[in-house]
Amino acid sequence: MKKIILREDEMPTSWYNVVPDIPGGLMPPLDPETKEPISPEKLAAVFPMGLLEQEMSEKRLIEIPQEVMELYKIWRPSPLVRATKLEEALGTKAKIFFKNEGVSPVGSHKPNSAVAQAYYNHREGVKRLATETGAGQWGSALSLATSKFGMECKVFMVRCSFDQKPYRKSIMQTFGADIVASPSEDTAIGREILAKDPNTSGSLAIAISEALEDASSRKDTNYALGSVLNHVVLHQTVIGLEAKKQMEIAGAYPDVIVGCCGGGSNFAGLIAPYIPDYLEGRKIDFVGYEPASCPTMTGGKLAYDSGDVSMMTPLIYMHTLGHNFIPPGIHAGGLRYHGMAPIISALIRDDIIRPKSVHQLECFEAGVLFARTEGIIPAPETTHAIRGAIIEAMKEPDRPKNILFNFSGHGLIDMAAYDSYFNGELHDYSFPTEEIAASLASLPCIKK
Ligand SMILES: *Cc1c(COP(=O)(O)O)cnc(C)c1O
């Protein structure tokens, strides 16, 4: 069977909360002022209670609301595909499967959380959401979601992507959102950073500060984050729950599960439903791939850090490169974040996830091979997962094994990046050792 499609009535009806499974548990988020565990009341200034409950929940199954289900059905269930042509081209005995999240209206997994976040905000009377976006995928997803609930949306888009990906703006505009390049003149923190460095390429950490400033300064506005947080991972488990059923239908249990990691939500969402099996003794190799130019998991520190530059977010215990780290302007904008989901970070600490890094050029090469074999052009972020799957398949090409990876998005709006690759304009960045050391020096001081 090449492709496994579920029926709508076979879709999961609950998300899977993996937090209670984490052997070493999670550390609580801290108030940036007092450095004590943050109170839900304080977070309620920018998040709806429905999402805060999920953020702190210890329940394993959390029901997907009917309104969210109806929106999921615009593109879900998504197909699971066996990459037979890629296998042939590689000459491997491994079977490679991918879960295609590129079939959503904006081309990535991001709407899985965007529609849920818009729903809970709308239910609690919020009229407007402010957010950040890197490559524009999250901004597109949230614009789609807010348009469905008749809400307004303001998107702070990281400067280098704003210039690289003009059609992402067009998508957001079509869905009625208001977009500005970050750092912008619209916020105090944006103006301050622009005054210091008018040509900055920007970063997600800066864009998050701007969105939070916007949300905190207006009564009608909440803030939405596209990755990292527990509730975002929770919503993305719809990927893994469907994939697990589809792999059963294919009669293949995964030996290796691969994903690309920006803030960690698509990879965590794919692997979460497999963690209980792993804990019961099933052998699964979970491998998360990140760019060598922004090596949060492989070059960062596990520590409390802020999610944004102006230290407005709670302090989160995660793998981090330091909130002042400005990664090189690689084309996988969705992977340019200094932090990693606490869930992923804890699973690395507990030796369940194996983190790896890969360079930009080998990823584009893998992406082109994938396009020419499987016929789908991957997003630059997704090429990291494809490169990862190829590495895993070619380790022991004669050993039959099942590899599952998440195809997080298509690249049809990223063709400028492919142009640069074909024109020989892309290069690999060496590991930014000095910048990381300087940025890690400014981690907040937490007494234990
Ligand atoms: C945002 C994005 C990612 C990275 O985000 P995660 O939170 O790590 O999943 C990966 N692929 C695509 C296509 C994206 O848009």
Side-chain angles (χ1 to χ4, degrees):
M1 235 184 312
K2 173 78 180 164
K3 187 161 79 181
I4 289 125
I5 315 241
L6 295 178
R7 294 190 314 267
E8 279 182 11
D9 64 4
E10 293 173 310
M11 281 172 70
T13 53
S14 296
W15 292 298
Y16 185 73
N17 179 20
V18 73
V19 172
D21 294 338
I22 299 174
L26 290 183
M27 302 277 275
L30 304 183
D31 189 317
E33 280 152 32
T34 64
K35 314 262 162 65
E36 294 296 323
I38 196 159
S39 67
E41 294 76 52
K42 203 151 180 191
L43 292 171
V46 291
F47 289 112
M49 281 321 291
L51 293 177
L52 288 178
E53 277 163 22
Q54 295 178 351
E55 191 60 26
M56 323 253 172
S57 178
E58 287 288 325
K59 255 176 42 188
R60 282 193 169 78
L61 293 180
I62 296 176
E63 199 180 336
I64 306 176
Q66 206 45 51
E67 291 86 340
V68 174
M69 272 306 246
E70 285 311 311
L71 291 175
Y72 275 178
K73 285 176 189 169
I74 297 175
W75 73 96
R76 307 209 71 85
S78 71
L80 179 90
V81 185
R82 169 124 180 246
T84 46
K85 295 288 176 206
L86 176 65
E87 292 166 14
E88 275 168 35
L90 295 172
T92 176
K93 286 222 171 72
K95 290 181 185 167
I96 305 176
F97 296 85
F98 64 94
K99 177 71 169 157
N100 188 356
E101 291 295 307
V103 299
S104 84
V106 296
S108 77
H109 65 283
K110 297 276 195 329
N112 295 333
S113 185
V115 297
Q117 293 191 40
Y119 164 76
Y120 288 104
N121 277 288
H122 175 70
R123 196 185 67 173
E124 294 176 35
V126 177
K127 301 275 181 280
R128 183 174 171 275
L129 289 177
T131 198
E132 74 293 330
T133 195
Q137 293 269 21
W138 171 246
S140 309
L142 197 68
S143 309
L144 157 74
T146 46
S147 79
K148 285 286 164 195
F149 291 100
M151 301 165 78
E152 282 178 56
C153 186
K154 166 92 179 205
V155 183
F156 294 88
M157 183 170 185
V158 177
R159 174 95 245 172
C160 72
S161 294
F162 189 88
D163 298 332
Q164 283 170 355
K165 315 209 157 163
Y167 292 126
R168 282 279 160 207
K169 276 176 277 181
S170 318
I171 294 174
M172 292 184 253
Q173 247 150 22
T174 304
F175 286 121
D178 179 14
I179 311 115
V180 68
S182 166
S184 76
E185 295 285 346
D186 295 4
T187 65
I189 181 71
R191 289 188 292 272
E192 188 188 308
I193 291 167
L194 281 176
K196 272 192 229 146
D197 181 4
N199 297 319
T200 178
S201 57
S203 72
L204 274 165
I206 295 171
I208 294 173
S209 289
E210 292 204 86
L212 269 170
E213 185 182 320
D214 179 298
S216 320
S217 65
R218 290 180 57 149
K219 264 218 150 61
D220 64 347
T221 302
N222 262 354
Y223 167 70
L225 186 65
S227 185
V228 181
L229 299 179
N230 300 346
H231 67 264
V232 184
V233 168
L234 175 77
H235 304 148
Q236 295 298 351
T237 61
V238 66
I239 303 172
L241 291 162
E242 284 181 10
K244 202 172 178 192
K245 268 194 189 172
Q246 289 161 309
M247 288 295 283
E248 273 166 30
I249 295 171
Y253 195 92
D255 301 296
V256 187
I257 307 185
V258 173
C260 63
C261 295
S265 70
N266 87 88
F267 182 51
L270 177 64
I271 67 173
Y274 284 101
I275 298 293
D277 295 4
Y278 176 89
L279 295 173
E280 280 169 19
R282 194 99 204 202
K283 278 211 166 51
I284 312 171
D285 189 12
F286 301 103
V287 206
Y289 278 85
E290 66 182 2
S293 55
C294 188
T296 313
M297 304 182 291
T298 55
K301 231 169 130 169
L302 182 58
Y304 271 110
D305 194 12
S306 177
D308 71 315
V309 273
S310 49
M311 302 193 67
M312 292 166 81
T313 71
L315 300 178
I316 301 171
Y317 195 69
M318 61 181 175
H319 279 266
T320 179
L321 293 166
H323 55 271
N324 289 321
F325 181 70
I326 297 192
I330 55 163
H331 273 278
L335 306 182
R336 289 177 76 242
Y337 187 58
H338 69 277
M340 187 51 60
I343 290 175
I344 295 274
S345 301
L347 291 171
I348 295 172
R349 175 205 59 198
D350 293 344
D351 280 330
I352 296 175
I353 291 177
R354 189 160 62 85
K356 299 292 285 178
S357 72
V358 274
H359 283 282
Q360 170 162 263
L361 288 180
E362 60 184 307
C363 291
F364 271 97
E365 191 189 338
V368 171
L369 175 65
F370 189 86
R372 292 181 186 173
T373 50
E374 292 302 315
I376 312 174
I377 299 178
E381 291 83 1
T382 309
T383 63
H384 291 69
I386 297 171
R387 177 67 190 136
I390 293 175
I391 290 172
E392 301 307 325
M394 297 316 284
K395 258 187 197 159
E396 314 145 284
D398 292 328
R399 193 167 80 83
K401 61 180 161 187
N402 299 322
I403 299 173
L404 168 64
F405 77 88
N406 194 37
F407 187 91
S408 55
H410 72 63
L412 293 182
I413 304 145
D414 303 292
M415 295 320 292
Y418 280 85
D419 284 348
S420 305
Y421 172 68
F422 288 123
N423 293 337
E425 290 157 19
L426 292 191
H427 53 276
D428 286 337
Y429 292 88
S430 56
F431 187 83
T433 318
E434 276 161 35
E435 288 87 344
I436 292 173
S439 173
L440 284 177
S442 62
L443 285 181
C445 219
I446 308 288
K447 288 190 219 78
K448 290 240 183 78

